[in-house]
Amino acid sequence: MGPSKKAQKTKERILKAAIEIFSEKGYSAARTSEIAKKAGVAEGTIFRYFPKKKDLLHEIVLEAIDTFGEIIALSSLKKVVEENKEKSLEEFLKAIVLDRVKIFNNYFNLAKVVFYEMQFHEDVRKMFVDKIAKKAVNLGKEIFGERQEMGDLKDIDLLIAARSFMGMVFIMLIQKQFLPEVSTTNDFEKEIETVIDIFLNGVKKRD
Amino acid sequence: MGPSKKAQKTKERILKAAIEIFSEKGYSAARTSEIAKKAGVAEGTIFRYFPKKKDLLHEIVLEAIDTFGEIIALSSLKKVVEENKEKSLEEFLKAIVLDRVKIFNNYFNLAKVVFYEMQFHEDVRKMFVDKIAKKAVNLGKEIFGERQEMGDLKDIDLLIAARSFMGMVFIMLIQKQFLPEVSTTNDFEKEIETVIDIFLNGVKKRD
DNA sequence: ATAAAAAGTGAGTAATCACTCAATTATCCC
DNA sequence: GGGATAATTGAGTGATTACTCACTTTTTAT
């Protein structure tokens, strides 16, 4: 007899609370007592499902890598790519970015925990590289490679191009999240359009 | 009578050890016993100089913000800018990036501690924003603004342009540091040239 | 309805850790 | 050299924390 529905719910509540606390103060500073309180269970209950505190982190990271690796990075993105294939490069990229950002926001805390703990746990880093980074790079190459074959793109290193584009978008999100007071505008769509314009056409005046 | 030379040395050894340990496992997971061991002092000695563990972090962050804010971000960069003013935009940016990356590597652990703890300590974040982020943004705007007036750049939002360029370089460094197995090339200079080319001219084929 | 199994509880425990302090050693100044 | 001051030491301490376990409550099966 497997775990009951209620047990499943309890486990999920604990995981959810742990993600929040971990993302708020980091794994090491997070207290199991606080996780229990936020999850609305007794502290002992946590240890019925996760014998060690580390097991909590590991399950969260595994879940996150599954979520990001399979669902987000691949199938749902491919759908967006398929749907927007016929559009101009500008619209194509804008559709992808808007879609990715929407998803990213939903999983922001989860992503924070993974990025953060990756630095300190070699096993987490390795999983991230194998299950996400490499796939993301390949997917980026694939998407841009297709456009390159279509004659839309210059003959440029696709890894660098895809990575650079990700960097531009990533730093925009980071800035908006952590340093909002630096911003000049709040028009997100407009800003994405500018970023895409820089990526596609550069900042240099044509001569 | 101020602190003796020896006392000064001891304090510096403790700070250096703390930066290493903090950057390795994060502030919370770092143990004062381990810092003492690495610094080659007794645990009690740490508390003569830093009554609380937090004081260690605060002094490190203050020092880092001073270092990055004043020395790196401003005077030394201005020198590089001045020296390369007459060159082409390509060479100008390449000189700046190479110079900044060299400095960044020297202070990598320190930067890691600041970036990392910024998430969890509001006071650290605020100092970072006031003393570094805003200055960096203004400097970026200034540098690019000058080139814009010279007619080298399009009429584009300078904050977004400067930030995007930083993002492209930043993600390159991050990838090389944390995900080296993803790389295809090891020719750093060549890669920077590609990044600059993308930033200046874009990836789109001219029609 | 009831017994057995599963889930949940929270006071208690052992281990860990930041921090103290009385004692020791090194440095300074005459 | 010696007395005063400053620096260092590390065993000890109280507080905190992950984790345990004997017990209670809830759920399930018949």
Side-chain angles (χ1 to χ4, degrees):
Chain A
M1 208 148 303
S4 68
K5 294 266 171 63
K6 190 171 178 229
Q8 192 58 33
K9 278 264 177 210
T10 304
K11 196 176 172 187
E12 270 161 29
R13 283 222 316 284
I14 293 170
L15 280 171
K16 192 171 165 236
I19 290 170
E20 279 179 49
I21 307 272
F22 286 170
S23 76
E24 202 177 292
K25 26 185 70 165
Y27 168 78
S28 252
R31 302 296 158 221
T32 49
S33 56
E34 206 182 342
I35 294 171
K37 201 176 158 195
K38 175 153 266 173
V41 300
E43 203 174 346
T45 305
I46 290 180
F47 294 95
R48 174 167 295 276
Y49 295 95
F50 307 96
K52 306 260 166 203
K53 190 186 166 193
K54 269 245 152 129
D55 296 331
L56 248 179
L57 178 63
H58 282 142
E59 183 137 344
I60 287 171
V61 169
L62 279 176
E63 191 192 284
I65 283 180
D66 252 39
T67 306
F68 289 128
E70 295 302 324
I71 303 175
I72 299 182
L74 297 179
S75 45
S76 86
L77 177 53
K78 277 192 172 145
K79 216 181 72 199
V80 180
V81 170
E82 214 53 51
E83 278 168 7
N84 292 279
K85 230 168 190 165
E86 303 307 317
K87 293 186 180 163
S88 73
L89 204 42
E90 282 81 359
E91 287 175 300
F92 177 76
L93 287 177
K94 192 176 165 188
I96 290 176
V97 171
L98 286 176
D99 177 76
R100 288 303 96 180
V101 168
K102 208 176 68 194
I103 290 175
F104 182 71
N105 280 334
N106 285 344
Y107 293 98
F108 186 76
N109 284 344
L110 194 56
K112 226 178 123 181
V113 174
V114 175
F115 283 129
Y116 172 80
E117 300 302 336
M118 212 169 66
Q119 298 175 70
F120 307 123
H121 308 268
E122 178 58 23
D123 50 341
V124 172
R125 199 192 67 86
K126 206 163 159 23
M127 275 199 294
F128 180 84
V129 170
D130 289 344
K131 305 270 177 177
I132 301 191
K134 285 184 180 168
K135 277 186 191 167
V137 166
N138 287 336
L139 195 65
K141 277 184 175 174
E142 209 179 292
I143 292 174
F144 283 118
E146 216 164 302
R147 287 284 175 165
Q148 201 173 46
E149 278 167 30
M150 286 162 67
D152 288 345
L153 296 187
K154 291 178 188 166
D155 183 24
I156 213 163
D157 185 316
L158 288 179
L159 169 62
I160 299 180
R163 187 190 66 196
S164 296
F165 185 61
M166 280 173 58
M168 294 164 87
V169 175
F170 189 68
I171 205 171
M172 177 177 77
L173 297 177
I174 294 294
Q175 191 236 95
K176 294 210 166 298
Q177 187 71 35
F178 295 107
L179 314 170
E181 53 266 70
V182 169
S183 284
T184 49
T185 165
N186 283 312
D187 190 339
F188 188 71
E189 279 209 29
K190 182 100 195 308
E191 223 169 299
I192 286 178
E193 280 167 18
T194 305
V195 167
I196 290 171
D197 181 47
I198 291 174
F199 178 65
L200 292 180
N201 304 305
V203 299
K204 197 176 175 185
K205 198 174 257 179
R206 304 278 169 87
D207 29 30
Chain B
M1 204 149 305
S4 69
K5 295 264 172 63
K6 189 167 180 236
Q8 192 58 32
K9 279 267 175 205
T10 304
K11 196 176 171 186
E12 269 160 29
R13 284 222 314 283
I14 292 169
L15 280 171
K16 193 173 163 235
I19 289 170
E20 280 179 48
I21 307 272
F22 285 171
S23 76
E24 203 176 290
K25 29 185 70 167
Y27 169 79
S28 251
R31 301 297 160 220
T32 50
S33 56
E34 205 183 344
I35 294 171
K37 200 176 159 194
K38 176 154 264 173
V41 299
E43 204 173 347
T45 305
I46 291 179
F47 294 95
R48 175 165 296 274
Y49 297 95
F50 307 96
K52 307 257 165 204
K53 189 186 167 193
K54 267 239 153 140
D55 296 331
L56 248 179
L57 178 63
H58 281 141
E59 185 139 340
I60 287 171
V61 169
L62 278 176
E63 192 192 285
I65 283 179
D66 252 39
T67 305
F68 290 126
E70 295 302 324
I71 303 175
I72 300 181
L74 296 178
S75 46
S76 86
L77 177 55
K78 275 190 173 145
K79 218 182 71 200
V80 180
V81 170
E82 214 53 51
E83 277 169 7
N84 292 280
K85 230 170 191 164
E86 302 308 318
K87 294 184 179 165
S88 73
L89 202 43
E90 282 81 357
E91 286 175 301
F92 179 77
L93 286 178
K94 191 177 164 188
I96 290 175
V97 171
L98 287 176
D99 176 76
R100 290 302 96 181
V101 167
K102 210 175 69 192
I103 290 175
F104 182 72
N105 279 335
N106 285 343
Y107 293 98
F108 186 76
N109 283 345
L110 194 57
K112 223 176 127 181
V113 174
V114 175
F115 282 129
Y116 172 78
E117 299 303 334
M118 211 167 68
Q119 297 175 72
F120 307 123
H121 308 268
E122 178 58 23
D123 49 342
V124 173
R125 200 192 67 87
K126 208 165 156 20
M127 277 198 292
F128 180 84
V129 170
D130 288 344
K131 306 269 177 180
I132 300 191
K134 284 185 180 166
K135 277 186 190 166
V137 166
N138 287 336
L139 195 66
K141 276 185 176 174
E142 212 179 289
I143 291 174
F144 284 118
E146 218 164 300
R147 289 283 175 164
Q148 201 172 47
E149 278 168 30
M150 286 162 67
D152 288 345
L153 296 187
K154 292 178 189 166
D155 183 25
I156 212 163
D157 185 316
L158 289 179
L159 170 62
I160 298 179
R163 187 191 65 194
S164 296
F165 185 61
M166 281 172 58
M168 293 164 86
V169 174
F170 190 69
I171 204 171
M172 179 176 74
L173 297 177
I174 294 296
Q175 190 236 95
K176 294 210 167 296
Q177 186 72 35
F178 295 107
L179 314 171
E181 53 268 70
V182 167
S183 284
T184 49
T185 165
N186 283 312
D187 191 340
F188 188 71
E189 279 209 30
K190 182 100 198 306
E191 221 168 302
I192 287 177
E193 281 167 17
T194 306
V195 167
I196 290 172
D197 181 48
I198 292 175
F199 178 64
L200 292 180
N201 304 306
V203 299
K204 197 176 173 183
K205 199 174 255 178
R206 306 276 169 87
D207 30 29

